[in-house]
Amino acid sequence: MDITAQSVWNNCLSFIKDNIQPQAYKTWFEPIIAVKLSDNALSIQVPSKFFYEWLEEHYVKILKVALTKQLGETAKLVYVIKMENTYGNKQPFTEKIPSSNRGAMKSQDVDVPLNNKNPELKNPFIIPGIRNVKIESQLNPNYSFENFLEGDSNRLARNAGLAVANKPGGTSFNPLLIFGGVGLGKTHLAHAIGVDIKDKYPEKTVLYISAEKFTQQYIDSVKKNNRNDFIHFYQIIDVLIIDDVQFLSGKSGTQDVFFHIFNHLHQNGKQVILTSDKAPVDMQDIEQRLLSRFKWGLSAELQSPDFETRVSILKNKLYRDGVEMPDDIIEYVAKHIKTNVRELEGAIISLIAQSSFNKKEITVNLAKEIVEKFVKNTKREVSIDYIQKVVSDYFQMDVSTLQSKTRKRHIVQARQLAMFFAKKYTKASLASIGSQIGKRDHATVLHACKTVDNLSSTDKQFRKYVEDLSKKLSL
Ligand code: ADP
Ligand code: MG
């Protein structure tokens, strides 16, 4: 029988497969391609230098045993580092990187013969010391399921989270996308899932990261020319939690790299958990192919908690802090702070602080004072500038665009909404609003307010804008 590179390698693989974890086999051996057999030296192609180094560090022993079994004591192994895309993706990366590392399909083979012509790349049959590779999860143990109180507003998301934690990668909730407004518990729930998984499956690699930090790391990797390593790092994670993915909007390079990481993880049965301040349909400037993947699993919304849930969140918090508080006060706070759990906690904390600093008894009057201050404090932020900022952020334009003279429909609408909310939330006169929003006159502002009223009763999409913005502005 003819001995080919392929047949030798296949035999090596079946030996290796029997001796290492299936996941490790999948990650580190399946992507390898046997390319050549000559002079008792088998050449195998690996996708990156990082990959080669990893094999060297972790699997050199088993490789040696396997290969010696096939080719005898004089066996040699030659690595060919072919920096293609990540395996499994036919599409080349589109990011422009001024890097010699970038080798989409362009062959950048580095032959690494065992006789060590290249001093940087070591002889793979020298077994290096075992280095402990451990990835810190970045999870906050205080954010647990136990103290994430259930209510109608979060039941679906919380239970989906529990299901995912029981069987990471093994449910149809992959990815699990948790979305909802600020302060409703997205970050808390995302951590809780991770913490629970770590608890149940200590051997799994879990990583929590904000989309912002992920983006920063990616940019750094491009600068430092180790984009492949960056990708690889993320591809070996079992449970990847990315918080606030809306941050990726407009960042096409990061979206692209995330797309490839996502595909790899998903294909390999790894769990992805995402949070976002919007539902996928409302995300702007996120590539279609990513959006469609976000929808593969389950999108679960966190809504503003109802009164009962607010009361139980407060009671739980007080209980954990060892503070006693009369029910009527708890109910007063829960009744008046409605939209956001973070605010709710803030109010109760300042209530506790006030009473203990000033040795005041906690009374409904004190609660009233504080809640009022709280509500007023947050209201004070609503200036015309703030409104313009919120509206232009929402439509992902600059404030200067919002103020510009253009007649483009979506910009005009954004400007009219800003005027409408300025009228609604501030005491400024029509003239003053007009002069602050792009130097218009009072008639323009009046017209804007009427238009918004009309459109929000006739146009569903437009009504959604008004609702979303009201929520953002009424915090
Ligand atoms: P988001 O990420 O959606 O802005 P966070 O997860 O940061 O919100 O939540 C804000 C605060 O509210 C946190 O302190 C969190 O612990 C608390 N919180 C939110 N939802 C709940 C809940 N259902 N039970 C208990 N605490 C909650
Ligand atoms: Mg958050």
Side-chain angles (χ1 to χ4, degrees), residues 142-151 153-154 158 180-191 243-244 275-276 302 305 309 312-314 316-317 320 340-343 345:
N142 295 324
Y143 284 155
S144 64
F145 272 116
E146 203 179 39
N147 60 30
F148 190 83
L149 294 221
E150 183 168 324
S153 56
N154 62 33
R158 189 178 187 278
V182 277
L184 293 182
K186 300 182 295 294
T187 298
H188 184 143
L189 185 54
H191 276 277
D243 203 358
D244 290 320
T275 81
S276 162
L302 290 178
T309 315
S312 42
I313 289 173
L314 286 179
N316 182 261
K317 167 124 195 80
R320 276 184 290 131
N340 174 322
V341 183
R342 193 176 292 141
E343 299 265 313
E345 288 188 332

Side-chain angles (χ1 to χ4, degrees), residues 135-139 193-195 197-198 201 204-208 237-241:
I135 295 170
E136 287 292 326
S137 292
Q138 317 290 334
L139 290 165
I193 299 169
V195 168
I197 292 175
K198 262 323 236 190
Y201 304 93
K204 283 207 190 289
T205 311
V206 179
L207 183 72
Y208 166 89
I237 282 163
D238 297 314
V239 178
L240 179 61
I241 305 169

Side-chain angles (χ1 to χ4, degrees), residues 142-307:
N142 295 324
Y143 284 155
S144 64
F145 272 116
E146 203 179 39
N147 60 30
F148 190 83
L149 294 221
E150 183 168 324
D152 287 344
S153 56
N154 62 33
R155 187 159 288 120
L156 172 67
R158 189 178 187 278
N159 284 301
L162 278 167
V164 164
N166 283 329
K167 250 180 130 191
T171 68
S172 54
F173 308 151
N174 198 11
L176 174 63
L177 173 75
I178 302 161
F179 70 96
V182 277
L184 293 182
K186 300 182 295 294
T187 298
H188 184 143
L189 185 54
H191 276 277
I193 299 169
V195 168
D196 203 32
I197 292 175
K198 262 323 236 190
D199 223 36
K200 293 189 169 115
Y201 304 93
E203 78 289 353
K204 283 207 190 289
T205 311
V206 179
L207 183 72
Y208 166 89
I209 188 158
S210 66
E212 187 172 3
K213 197 158 169 204
F214 178 85
T215 304
Q216 198 50 53
Q217 285 182 354
Y218 170 66
I219 293 168
D220 286 349
S221 83
V222 172
K223 271 193 206 136
K224 291 190 187 132
N225 250 338
N226 52 14
R227 185 172 181 277
N228 278 338
D229 293 356
F230 170 86
I231 292 169
H232 225 99
F233 173 82
Y234 278 94
Q235 287 180 338
I236 60 172
I237 282 163
D238 297 314
V239 178
L240 179 61
I241 305 169
I242 302 202
D243 203 358
D244 290 320
V245 287
Q246 76 277 359
F247 186 85
L248 300 182
S249 73
K251 302 186 175 65
S252 59
T254 315
Q255 283 181 36
D256 191 46
V257 86
F258 178 59
F259 177 76
H260 289 92
I261 291 169
F262 179 94
N263 283 343
H264 181 88
L265 294 178
H266 199 270
Q267 276 162 19
N268 287 287
K270 307 303 181 64
Q271 180 70 45
V272 179
I273 297 154
L274 308 166
T275 81
S276 162
D277 69 354
K278 306 182 190 60
V281 281
D282 297 323
M283 289 186 199
Q284 285 163 3
D285 288 326
I286 301 261
E287 283 179 52
Q288 206 47 50
R289 55 180 187 163
L290 255 190
L291 281 183
S292 80
R293 273 160 182 76
F294 289 175
K295 294 180 208 157
W296 277 356
L298 175 74
S299 303
E301 183 171 12
L302 290 178
Q303 289 163 332
S304 297
D306 54 29
F307 176 72

Side-chain angles (χ1 to χ4, degrees), residues 44 46 49-60 63 76-81 110-131:
I44 57 170
V46 297
K49 181 156 169 262
F50 174 83
F51 206 102
Y52 147 77
E53 286 167 354
W54 189 278
L55 287 173
E56 266 241 290
E57 268 199 50
H58 300 268
Y59 300 110
V60 75
L63 274 167
K76 291 196 189 97
L77 184 66
V78 177
Y79 289 99
V80 179
I81 300 173
V110 183
D111 281 325
V112 190
L114 286 180
N115 57 15
N116 232 350
K117 268 184 210 147
N118 183 342
E120 200 198 346
L121 300 167
K122 299 160 284 177
N123 183 330
F125 285 162
I126 293 170
I127 298 160
I130 297 158
R131 216 198 287 153

